[in-house]
Amino acid sequence: MDFLPIFMNIKGRLCLVVGGGEVAKRKAGVLLEAGARVRVVAPEIDPALSAMDGVTSIVQRFDATHLEGVMLVIAATNDRAVNAEVSRLAKESSIPVNVVDDPEHCSFIMPAIMDRSPLMVAFSSGGASPVLTRMMRGKLESMIPQNFSRLAAFAERYREKVKQYVTNPAKRRIFWENALDGVVAEKVLTGDESGAEAMLQAMLNDEDNIVRGEVYLVGAGPGDPDLLTFRALRLMQKADVVVYDNLVSKPIVDMTRRDAERIYVGKKRADHTLRQEEINALLVRLAHEGKRVLRLKGGDPFIFGRGGEEIETLAAQNIPFQVVPGITAASGVASYAGIPLTHRDYAQSCMFVTGHLKDGTMNLDWDALARPRQTVVVYMGLHGLDTLCAKLIEHGLPGATPIAIVQQGTTQNQRVVTGTLSDLPQKQEVAQLHAPTLIIVGGVVKLREKLQWFHPHLD
Ligand code: SAH
């Protein structure tokens, strides 16, 4: 370790900035933000710098007397000799000194920071590679939600109270782990502070039972892991147990927490490994055991996902849950296949229907589907492709209407077959695409010839 990382309390203390330009102004700004009083010394000082609240300007060349009473120095002139002199004198008086962009003359360096005040993360490569430092910060910035500050502020506010309620330090640690990593935190992060407060209070009132299960109903998108949301990823890495079905691609299941228990609940057409009621009951049982349960579903949980039924059971049992939307197959598959779902020239509306009905028939409102200038997206429709094409023609759509089948869209196995209502059934006989497939009907399908694009990360 080349440097000792420390956070210094400079509230109300006097710091010196030597230099009167842009860089000096920026450095003075940081010191002021941390609550210091700042003395600025330079023969010429930017008026905007002098005017900063908390700054005292001395319009002179720097000399040793300016170090009097100072706890920290930053040299920010554009004169290397002056900077070196500031550094030498400060070191002589054992005052920590930073010379901007000149690590050799520094006794301390200023890290890059990620500010989630009161939570603060400092990054440094000890001057070895500022670019790498920035990249690392960028990575963390995207992993730690902006509103994490709120969580830290919330914890600070309740620190004393929790201390009074939960006197045993070991228990208190578990209490906070649960609160800050569970449903209380989720509530704070989504802005529901009063809900979080109520939850925390309930936990405090029931100290023996502070481990509380919860369920995250999460949409995993159509297949490509890049299409997950940040929230989905965060919950995937937090859950103790993952309940998933065959629509969730393997690379996505692999992104869940390494030590999480994984339960496969199947659900292919007519091959239900667990029936829906059994899945509902499973979620309830796991949550009652105090687990954080991730119910991972393909696409969006509220679009042909029976997500509504699953949370109905949870709500009835008073189990905390949240729903995270995902990119639904229609949206993901269409863009990866180069088929816009609406287009001013071809379709002013778009309809999502399922071709797999409860009773096994395909009893759709054909007149509504066979209207011109609209796009129809059929989920779970492969099985009924012949019926679909015949019925649409029978109800008025021209046989030449474009139609596409997309197999496993957005994944490496994506295959697309296009044709017309008249010829697609035969084309599928030859192509033999298999589920999951999405069927898209309408003029927009023709645009694929122009808009097809190459997916570098899929090939
Ligand atoms: N909740 C999901 C849909 C579940 S129904 C969503 O919002 O996407 C299952 C059907 O979705 C499949 O039969 C298929 O029609 C469609 N589907 C899901 N992922 C798909 C993919 N990657 N490619 C093609 N179709 C897909």
Side-chain angles (χ1 to χ4, degrees):
M1 191 153 80
D2 290 330
F3 291 86
L4 173 71
I6 55 172
F7 289 87
M8 216 180 232
N9 183 353
I10 58 172
K11 281 204 176 56
R13 306 291 298 273
L14 185 63
C15 299
L16 172 67
V17 174
V18 184
E22 197 49 46
V23 182
K25 195 167 87 194
R26 214 169 52 234
K27 297 294 171 188
V30 179
L31 295 172
L32 290 171
E33 236 177 271
R37 293 178 292 125
V38 179
R39 172 184 292 163
V40 178
V41 175
E44 265 179 74
I45 301 177
D46 180 342
L49 169 52
S50 305
M52 286 168 107
D53 199 17
V55 164
T56 314
S57 306
I58 302 179
V59 186
Q60 280 175 12
R61 290 192 64 80
F62 166 79
D63 65 57
T65 61
H66 298 132
L67 288 170
E68 241 160 65
V70 160
M71 77 167 301
L72 193 122
V73 183
I74 299 180
T77 78
N78 51 11
D79 184 332
R80 287 182 69 85
V82 172
N83 285 349
E85 177 67 358
V86 174
S87 166
R88 191 181 63 77
L89 288 171
K91 284 179 182 167
E92 246 176 48
S93 311
S94 300
I95 303 172
V97 57
N98 174 270
V99 180
V100 177
D101 286 337
D102 188 358
E104 263 178 47
H105 286 104
C106 289
S107 64
F108 74 94
I109 51 179
M110 305 271 284
I113 56 173
M114 182 178 84
D115 189 354
R116 301 283 190 273
S117 286
L119 206 78
M120 181 77 78
V121 183
F123 301 88
S124 159
S125 62
S129 172
V131 171
L132 208 59
T133 314
R134 271 203 300 278
M135 276 167 59
M136 190 159 111
R137 184 181 63 178
K139 280 209 160 102
L140 271 171
E141 285 273 7
S142 62
M143 269 172 62
I144 303 193
Q146 276 297 334
N147 44 13
F148 225 66
S149 316
R150 271 199 223 152
L151 195 56
F154 182 85
E156 193 175 33
R157 222 171 34 248
Y158 285 93
R159 210 175 142 180
E160 279 311 313
K161 185 169 189 184
V162 170
K163 223 178 201 167
Q164 282 162 21
Y165 272 81
V166 192
T167 44
N168 175 322
K171 264 194 164 178
R172 197 160 58 236
R173 191 177 51 79
I174 297 173
F175 178 89
W176 273 122
E177 264 176 23
N178 284 330
L180 294 179
D181 203 23
V183 72
V184 173
E186 287 307 325
K187 285 215 181 299
V188 176
L189 289 176
T190 52
D192 179 9
E193 295 231 351
S194 53
E197 236 174 276
M199 208 71 142
L200 193 85
Q201 190 58 54
M203 281 170 74
L204 287 172
N205 294 341
D206 189 9
E207 199 201 320
D208 294 333
N209 189 19
I210 50 182
V211 185
R212 232 184 134 185
E214 56 187 323
V215 177
Y216 319 128
L217 180 61
V218 174
D224 183 351
D226 272 10
L227 297 179
L228 284 170
T229 61
F230 283 128
R231 179 180 290 245
L233 188 62
R234 193 152 51 76
L235 296 175
M236 282 162 69
Q237 292 177 350
K238 183 160 121 179
D240 307 303
V241 43
V242 182
V243 178
Y244 67 103
D245 47 52
N246 69 304
L247 265 187
V248 181
S249 68
K250 181 164 184 315
I252 289 180
V253 176
D254 287 345
M255 286 164 85
T256 56
R257 218 176 77 195
R258 212 162 275 272
D259 57 339
E261 182 189 354
R262 293 174 185 172
I263 304 177
Y264 174 70
V265 292
K267 279 254 248 107
K268 282 187 195 143
R269 218 184 68 81
D271 157 35
H272 291 202
T273 307
L274 278 191
R275 285 182 313 135
Q276 188 64 48
E277 303 74 57
E278 292 171 316
I279 296 176
N280 300 351
L282 174 71
L283 297 179
V284 169
R285 179 170 63 72
L286 292 168
H288 276 320
E289 285 169 13
K291 305 232 166 79
R292 287 176 295 209
V293 186
L294 178 78
R295 173 65 174 121
L296 200 53
K297 298 185 83 85
D300 182 282
F302 278 2
I303 296 182
F304 306 128
R306 305 188 75 174
E309 295 168 45
E310 295 184 7
I311 56 176
E312 220 174 283
T313 322
L314 299 172
Q317 303 260 352
N318 275 330
I319 293 169
F321 64 86
Q322 59 169 298
V323 183
V324 181
I327 292 185
T328 188
S331 169
V333 168
S335 50
Y336 277 53
I339 302 172
L341 292 176
T342 66
H343 188 285
R344 282 203 301 187
D345 298 336
Y346 299 98
Q348 276 70 51
S349 66
C350 175
M351 217 184 240
F352 296 174
V353 297
T354 169
H356 173 61
L357 300 185
K358 237 179 175 172
D359 57 4
T361 65
M362 204 173 175
N363 198 5
L364 296 168
D365 180 354
W366 298 110
D367 284 329
L369 297 187
R371 290 202 188 112
R373 302 179 73 74
Q374 77 176 357
T375 306
V376 176
V377 180
V378 188
Y379 287 70
M380 295 173 275
L382 186 63
H383 197 63
L385 180 67
D386 294 0
T387 316
L388 177 77
C389 292
K391 286 283 186 189
L392 288 176
I393 294 175
E394 193 185 311
H395 286 76
L397 279 187
T401 306
I403 172 169
I405 313 180
V406 185
Q407 167 195 300
Q408 288 172 283
T410 81
T411 74
Q412 281 167 347
N413 303 322
Q414 171 170 310
R415 282 180 69 199
V416 184
V417 174
T418 56
T420 63
L421 288 178
S422 311
D423 68 16
L424 197 72
Q426 288 110 28
K427 282 191 171 174
Q428 160 61 5
E429 278 294 306
V430 179
Q432 290 289 319
L433 298 191
H434 56 79
T437 57
L438 201 72
I439 299 173
I440 305 177
V441 186
V444 289
V445 170
K446 266 212 297 272
L447 292 163
R448 172 173 158 81
E449 290 159 21
K450 281 194 280 187
L451 303 181
Q452 213 181 135
W453 52 284
F454 173 64
H455 315 284
H457 59 298
L458 293 188
D459 294 299

